[in-house]
Amino acid sequence: MIDNYTILTTFPYSSEAQITKSKLEAEGIRVMLLDEKTIDSDPLISQAIGGVKLLVYNDDAEAALKIYNRIRLYEKDNAGDAIVCPNCQSTKILIAELTRKNIFYMLFPFFEKTKFRCNVCNTIF
């Protein structure tokens, strides 16, 4: 049964996942949560097991992604203002997931400067 589902996103806590799940279900998307009860019983292991996974039915994945991109929260700067993409001027900015090649940053990732990715044009800055 789980082979028919794709992970749309993950959340550190089930409350955030429930809100997104409810919105997707209201739009007619078939949704399932994975590891929700495990994290509810011990929230400290959330990062260790990868958080609560929001799965959508494979046939609904494209529609679910469009809905999720419309309702998700985007990054803001320290003043609380929206970050703007230097390429397309969009404010739909996410933290970029990069693979670290420098051993120093692998051991101490908190020293690395945060990189952002535009959700519209995929520019990393």
Side-chain angles (χ1 to χ4, degrees), residues 40-104:
D40 282 347
S41 65
D42 187 2
L44 297 176
I45 65 169
S46 178
Q47 190 173 11
I49 65 172
V52 177
K53 290 113 185 132
L54 181 75
L55 298 118
V56 295
Y57 196 71
N58 289 339
D59 294 342
D60 299 331
E62 189 174 320
L65 183 60
K66 286 180 184 176
I67 294 166
Y68 180 63
N69 282 335
R70 193 176 69 232
I71 65 170
R72 75 189 313 169
L73 296 176
Y74 291 99
E75 295 300 315
K76 304 216 179 280
D77 63 13
N78 292 337
D81 299 324
I83 299 172
V84 179
C85 174
N87 187 37
C88 70
Q89 308 308 311
S90 170
T91 58
K92 296 182 176 186
I93 307 300
L94 303 169
I95 292 178
E97 297 175 17
L98 302 173
T99 55
R100 293 179 175 94
K101 296 179 182 169
N102 185 322
I103 189 74
F104 178 77

Side-chain angles (χ1 to χ4, degrees), residues 1-7 30-32 55-58:
M1 181 174 137
I2 202 162
D3 294 337
N4 297 331
Y5 285 83
T6 303
I7 296 175
R30 291 171 279 188
V31 181
M32 183 168 63
L55 298 118
V56 295
Y57 196 71
N58 289 339

Side-chain angles (χ1 to χ4, degrees), residues 10-24:
T10 59
F11 296 94
Y13 303 107
S14 65
S15 57
E16 298 167 345
Q18 284 291 347
I19 293 168
T20 304
K21 178 183 180 230
S22 298
K23 175 60 177 171
L24 291 173

